């Protein structure tokens, strides 16, 4: 089976159940909400395209994974959360951070490694964190966030809180031990958490079917008697509704596994040309582009016009331009802050030695130890 | 002061902190109903209930990570990993997550978590259950690692670890659990990051931690009596941060040193101590720094083989005598 066939067939099988028309008024996404989803999706699209450009301009270093193709899932999922809920994500998280309400400028500044970045320049693309919006981190190790998110749900339960945790991961994560250990614990302890698997059909270049013996990933929940569903990740309204259902369950102590099926429009990261894809596959993905598709949907509903589509795009472009300006103007972290974040509390004998410095720079001669001795590794 | 075991000192510290702070809870395998594989948590489930003494599935990565995630939002979990060997199953969560979260996110989330776990061989538990791999954690900036050798330190350092806002690994030791010592009745937390001179002496410095620090005191007493050798013992107590200055000050006084360690020699804690002495007291040394460490084999089950592989008091005595001989100033 060629790469992405799994994702495509998954999409095909999911549409019948997931793309239901929403009849009940209390679950209908309002016109304002729908437009909000669209604006969000366009902003993320433009932000990610600009991030890719900044990478080629060497303004961004390290790895850089983009949410291109995932915009509908990001918008629908993040809109379903309360302000007090906690969000854990993986290394493909720029869009989630923006949708959580973090200023795009602070997200871009983090990509630029600047001191005004969400993680003060310490995290980079893969490690965005914002304590104020309870955005609990992007994580670079596949599956690393899953036990952590489970623990935050445990803390909510411990304190009798009403919040919930959403833990976003990719399809490949469902094969990691930490995923299974965590789902078992969450189900055993009735924790308020929704695990969201973003199934884009590919790990880096390995397909879901090549790596998962049960490629309908939401079915893994059955091992833990956990409720689950698969939803069309290209439809922000379907994702929103499914996430609301999942969250309601989680808040009543029933953890949930939600699988969203969408495409990854580009390579695994900015530097991946995705040569493992055929031209036909790439064309099919482009044809299913969720941003373009949702524009058509809203246009058909009379919520968007050609003019308003252009306007929303122009707004997004200028927001992204402002973000770049902010990032570019933000200072690099000062080297004097290098040792500020090893420990939360000062501790004696914490090492503050720079690579070339001697541990004991005074001339090691008996009797000379007090003359001009400078200790780099002194306690704070 | 009361004369109690190392095990009881740990239990007292846990109970005391749970009484003091509602956010402190215990999590691990078999710590509740079973009262702990080594009974450190005896009686605590009965007193505090299952919310605060939480039995987990056998899932070290899962529950250690969950404890980290709970700590990130302000709880103070104390994780029991049954032995340090099993911590390898949680290595990603400890090294890539607990130790990194404060720094990697620019200081926005603290991880006030304790991992308590025993190391140690000598119980005929074979190769996978007898390791001393505290070095793996002491190697990592962001972790704090303490290794108490006495009941008093066990209590003091456990109190300090629970009150600390960073992840702290408390290294216990199977063969220390039943040792007895005087322990203050009141709760006085120790200081993480400080070594202690547990016996003052003038002839030679013996540096050690955990079980070997107890062995160091034992051989110091013997050597004073048998050879008239005055040993100074430095108990490291904290493996990260490492209190180098206390070691250097002692070596500048005695001009020679032996390091006792239960881990393997190559790349071990003793290597770090020897390098530190070379950096800070090179010209004060009258003999090379000697290390006594475990034989570099997977620890065998058969008793004579196991005994031969583990560092003993006799090995330490030999190393001290030979080092003093090498200084050419032995009486």
């Amino acid at each position: 089976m060629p790469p992405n066939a799994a994702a495509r067939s998954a999409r095909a099988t999911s549409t019948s159940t997931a793309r239901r028309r929403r009849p009940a008024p209390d679950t209908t996404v309002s016109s304002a909400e729908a437009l909000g989803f669209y604006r969000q999706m366009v902003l993320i699209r433009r932000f990610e395209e600009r991030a890719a450009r900044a990478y080629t301009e060497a303004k961004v270093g390290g790895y850089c994974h983009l949410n291109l193709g995932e915009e509908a899932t990001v918008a629908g999922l993040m809109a379903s959360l309360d302000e007090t809920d906690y969000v854990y994500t993986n290394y493909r998280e720029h869009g989630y951070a923006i949708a959580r309400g973090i200023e795009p400028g602070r997200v871009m500044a983090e990509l630029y490694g600047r001191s005004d970045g969400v993680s003060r320049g310490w995290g980079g693309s893969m490690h965005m964190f914002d304590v104020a919006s309870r955005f609990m981190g992007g994580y670079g190790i596949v599956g690393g966030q899953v036990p952590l998110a489970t623990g935050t749900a445990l803390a909510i339960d411990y304190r009798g809180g009403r919040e919930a945790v959403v833990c976003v991961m990719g399809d490949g994560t469902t094969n990691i031990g930490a995923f299974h250990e965590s789902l078992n614990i969450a189900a055993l302890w009735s924790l308020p958490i929704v695990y969201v698997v973003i199934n884009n059909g590919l790990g880096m270049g390995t397909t879901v079917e090549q790596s998962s013996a049960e490629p309908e990933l939401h079915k893994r929940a059955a091992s833990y008697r956990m409720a689950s569903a698969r939803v069309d990740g290209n439809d922000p309204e379907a994702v929103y509704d499914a996430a609301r259902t999942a969250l309601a369950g989680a808040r009543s102590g029933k953890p949930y596994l939600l699988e969203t099926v969408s495409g990854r429009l580009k390579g695994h990261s900015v530097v991946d040309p995705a040569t493992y894809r055929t031209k036909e596959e790439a064309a099919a993905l482009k044809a299913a582009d969720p941003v373009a598709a949702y524009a058509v949907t809203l246009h058909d509903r009379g919520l968007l016009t050609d003019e308003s589509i252009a306007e929303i795009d122009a707004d997004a472009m200028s927001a992204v331009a402002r973000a770049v300006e902010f990032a570019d103007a933000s200072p690099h972290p000062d080297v004097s802050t290098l040792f500020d974040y090893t420990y939360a509390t000062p501790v004696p004998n914490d090492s503050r030695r720079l690579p070339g410095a001697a541990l004991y720079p005074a001339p090691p001669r008996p009797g000379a130890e007090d003359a001009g001795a400078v200790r780099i590794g002194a306690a704070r | 002061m009361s004369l109690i075991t190392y095990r009881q000192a740990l239990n007292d510290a846990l109970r005391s902190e749970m009484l003091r702070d509602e956010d402190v809870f215990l999590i691990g395998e078999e710590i509740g109903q079973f009262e702990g594989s080594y009974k450190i948590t005896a009686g605590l489930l009965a007193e505090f209930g299952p919310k605060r003494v939480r039995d987990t599935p056998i899932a070290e990565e899962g529950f250690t990570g969950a404890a980290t995630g709970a700590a990130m939002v302000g709880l103070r979990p104390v994780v029991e990993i049954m032995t340090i060997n099993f911590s390898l199953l949680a290595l990603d969560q400890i090294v890539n997550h607990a130790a990194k979260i404060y720094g990697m996110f620019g200081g926005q989330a603290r991880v006030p978590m304790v991992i308590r776990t025993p190391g140690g061989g000598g119980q005929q538990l074979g190769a996978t259950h007898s390791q001393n791999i505290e070095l793996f954690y002491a190697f990592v900036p962001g972790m704090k690692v303490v290794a108490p050798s006495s009941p008093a330190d066990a209590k003091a350092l456990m109190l300090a670890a629970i009150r600390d806002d960073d992840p702290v690994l408390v290294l216990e030791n199977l063969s220390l659990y039943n040792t007895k010592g005087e322990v203050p009745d009141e709760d006085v937390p120790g200081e993480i990051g400080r070594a202690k001179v547990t016996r003052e002496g003038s002839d030679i410095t013996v540096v050690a931690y955990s079980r070997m620090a107890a062995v160091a005191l034992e051989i110091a007493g013997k050597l004073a009596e048998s050879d008239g050798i005055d040993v100074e013992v430095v108990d490291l107590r904290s493996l990260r941060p490492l209190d180098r200055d206390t070691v250097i000050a002692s070596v500048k006084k005695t001009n020679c040193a032996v390091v006792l360690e239960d881990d393997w020699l190559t790349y071990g804690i003793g290597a770090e101590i020897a390098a530190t002495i070379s950096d800070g007291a090179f010209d004060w040394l009258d003999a090379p720094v000697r290390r006594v460490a475990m034989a570099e084999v997977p620890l065998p089950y058969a008793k004579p083989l196991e005994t031969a592989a583990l560092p003993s008091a006799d090995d330490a005595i030999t190393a001290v005598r030979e080092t003093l001989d090498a200084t050419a100033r032995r009486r």
Side-chain angles (χ1 to χ4, degrees):
Chain A
M1 182 179 276
N4 289 315
R8 281 204 305 279
S9 71
R11 270 195 295 283
T13 55
S14 70
T15 42
S16 56
T17 51
R19 225 184 218 187
R20 64 210 186 279
R21 288 292 125 213
R22 250 167 279 68
D26 60 316
T27 61
T28 301
V29 171
S30 70
S31 302
E33 284 168 333
L35 284 171
F37 292 164
Y38 182 68
R39 283 184 179 280
Q40 191 77 265
M41 289 164 66
V42 174
L43 175 61
I44 294 166
R45 172 63 55 89
R46 294 306 188 194
F47 183 95
E48 294 290 64
E49 288 169 347
R50 188 62 185 80
R53 192 178 121 199
Y55 193 91
T56 61
E57 293 168 350
K59 292 280 190 183
V60 178
Y63 295 149
C64 189
H65 314 85
L66 306 175
N67 288 124
L68 297 173
E70 198 174 324
E71 295 91 343
T73 299
V74 178
L77 180 62
M78 299 306 281
S80 71
L81 299 174
D82 289 349
E83 262 186 23
T84 49
D85 292 336
Y86 295 90
V87 183
Y88 282 83
T89 60
N90 60 8
Y91 48 80
R92 196 183 299 283
E93 88 284 34
H94 309 163
Y96 294 92
I98 291 168
R100 190 59 180 162
I102 301 169
E103 272 297 312
R106 294 180 61 219
V107 178
M108 192 65 84
E110 189 60 35
L111 294 177
Y112 277 50
R114 305 302 174 92
S115 55
D116 294 309
V118 275
S119 303
R120 295 182 174 145
W122 278 72
S125 169
M126 300 193 287
H127 308 116
M128 306 265 176
F129 190 103
D130 182 56
V131 71
S133 56
R134 299 195 165 182
F135 189 78
M136 301 299 285
Y139 290 84
I141 304 281
V142 170
Q145 78 277 26
V146 185
L148 300 173
T150 307
T152 294
L154 167 61
I156 292 168
D157 181 62
Y158 189 94
R159 290 170 164 154
R162 281 278 307 145
E163 310 96 312
V165 178
V166 161
C167 178
V168 177
M169 70 196 85
D171 44 77
T173 311
T174 59
N175 294 319
I176 280 186
F179 169 82
H180 296 277
E181 293 187 10
S182 297
L183 264 67
N184 185 46
I185 286 172
L188 275 175
W189 297 347
S190 305
L191 300 182
I193 184 164
V194 177
Y195 300 99
V196 182
V197 176
I198 311 294
N199 183 352
N200 61 21
L202 289 171
M204 291 170 81
T206 306
T207 65
V208 167
E209 299 224 328
Q210 284 170 327
S211 55
S212 300
E214 171 49 272
E216 289 188 55
L217 303 176
H218 66 105
K219 290 187 176 171
R220 303 257 172 128
S223 304
Y224 310 106
R225 297 190 173 180
M226 187 184 288
S228 72
R230 173 184 261 192
V231 67
D232 179 3
N234 282 337
D235 178 350
E237 300 174 17
V239 171
Y240 176 83
D241 281 350
R244 296 287 291 181
T245 303
L247 279 162
R251 285 186 219 285
S252 66
K254 295 191 177 95
Y256 199 98
L257 177 64
L258 179 63
E259 176 187 1
T260 66
V261 181
S262 56
R264 196 187 70 204
L265 293 183
K266 299 278 185 180
H268 170 68
S269 71
V270 173
V271 297
D272 168 21
T275 50
Y276 39 82
R277 273 179 174 152
T278 64
K279 280 193 177 129
E280 295 72 40
E281 285 164 354
L285 280 170
K286 209 172 168 195
D289 180 330
V291 179
Y294 199 49
V296 171
T297 301
L298 298 189
H299 196 282
D300 289 351
R301 280 191 213 162
L303 293 176
L304 284 176
T305 61
D306 290 352
E307 293 72 36
S308 62
I309 287 172
E311 224 170 85
I312 287 169
D313 197 57
D315 286 353
M317 291 295 273
S318 70
V320 170
R322 284 196 303 277
V324 168
E325 208 172 300
F326 177 83
D328 238 343
S330 175
H332 292 277
D334 197 294
V335 172
S336 68
T337 64
L338 181 61
F339 299 108
D340 286 2
Y341 301 117
T342 317
Y343 297 110
T345 43
V347 57
N349 295 306
D350 174 21
S351 173
R352 303 196 141 221
R353 188 195 59 86
L354 285 167
L359 265 180
Y360 291 91
R365 283 178 289 110
E369 75 270 32
D370 296 324
V374 182
R375 286 282 281 108
I376 302 289
R380 282 195 233 181
Chain B
M1 300 284 261
S2 306
L3 185 68
I4 59 172
T5 61
Y6 190 101
R7 171 183 287 107
Q8 187 62 49
L10 290 169
N11 183 278
D12 286 354
L14 295 173
R15 180 173 179 273
S16 190
E17 287 302 290
M18 290 179 81
L19 287 170
R20 189 184 64 81
D21 185 348
E22 281 279 322
D23 286 340
V24 175
F25 71 102
L26 312 184
I27 181 168
E29 294 158 2
E30 308 288 358
I31 62 170
Q33 309 261 34
F34 196 80
E35 300 195 310
S37 194
Y38 296 100
K39 308 299 173 198
I40 307 303
T41 52
L44 298 179
L45 174 66
E47 182 169 0
F48 294 99
K51 177 182 155 188
R52 300 189 65 198
V53 181
R54 204 172 275 256
D55 278 322
T56 68
I58 301 170
E60 283 83 2
E61 184 176 14
F63 70 72
T64 304
T68 307
M72 287 169 72
V73 290
L75 294 186
R76 307 189 83 84
V78 180
V79 180
E80 174 174 308
I81 295 183
M82 200 179 284
T83 80
I84 198 167
N85 306 282
F86 313 156
S87 74
L88 295 177
L89 293 150
L91 204 52
D92 173 60
Q93 283 300 320
I94 300 170
V95 175
N96 280 330
H97 296 91
K100 300 290 188 291
I101 278 163
Y102 185 72
M104 187 166 74
F105 299 136
Q108 294 182 81
R110 298 180 171 203
V111 181
M113 172 177 66
V114 174
I115 297 169
R116 36 166 301 270
T117 187
Q123 322 276 321
Q124 281 195 282
L125 297 173
T128 62
H129 284 57
S130 307
Q131 299 174 96
N132 296 284
I133 49 174
E134 52 276 10
L135 169 64
F136 292 13
Y137 305 103
F139 184 57
V140 180
M143 285 301 296
K144 294 173 180 173
V145 179
V146 296
S149 66
S150 68
D153 272 0
K155 181 175 178 184
L157 289 171
M158 184 60 74
L159 293 171
I162 294 172
R163 295 180 194 185
D164 200 277
D165 275 352
D166 291 302
V168 183
L169 187 139
V170 179
L171 178 74
E172 301 168 4
N173 189 287
L174 299 182
S175 63
L176 288 176
Y177 281 146
N178 287 333
T179 59
K180 281 189 175 176
E182 291 288 342
V183 177
D185 296 321
E186 60 278 14
D187 290 342
V188 186
E191 195 173 14
I192 297 170
R194 296 261 193 235
K196 186 183 178 188
V197 176
T198 50
R199 184 187 195 280
E200 291 199 22
S202 54
D203 291 336
I204 187 166
T205 298
V206 172
V207 183
Y209 65 94
S210 192
R211 179 184 82 96
M212 291 310 280
V215 170
L217 283 178
E218 178 195 326
I219 65 147
K222 279 187 186 164
L223 283 166
E225 210 164 283
S226 61
D227 297 36
I229 296 171
D230 192 14
V231 175
E232 175 145 308
V233 177
V234 177
D235 182 349
L236 292 173
R237 298 201 296 183
S238 177
L239 302 180
R240 179 173 283 272
L242 180 61
D243 181 356
R244 301 177 196 275
D245 289 354
T246 297
V247 175
I248 295 299
S250 177
V251 173
K252 284 184 176 177
K253 189 169 80 172
T254 63
N255 306 105
C256 57
V258 170
V259 188
L260 312 182
E261 56 191 320
D262 256 339
D263 62 345
W264 291 299
L265 180 118
T266 306
Y267 309 112
I269 304 271
E272 182 57 36
I273 299 303
T276 294
I277 294 170
S278 163
D279 281 336
F282 182 78
D283 271 345
W284 280 264
L285 280 177
D286 290 342
V289 177
R290 175 78 173 264
R291 289 173 283 161
V292 176
M294 204 205 281
E296 305 208 22
V297 294
L299 201 66
Y301 164 75
K303 197 65 194 170
L305 294 177
E306 184 188 47
T307 304
L310 290 171
S312 67
D314 285 346
D315 295 328
I317 285 172
T318 303
V320 166
R321 285 180 179 149
E322 288 181 0
T323 299
L324 278 170
D325 282 345
T327 65
R329 63 177 157 82
R330 191 175 165 208
R331 280 161 280 207

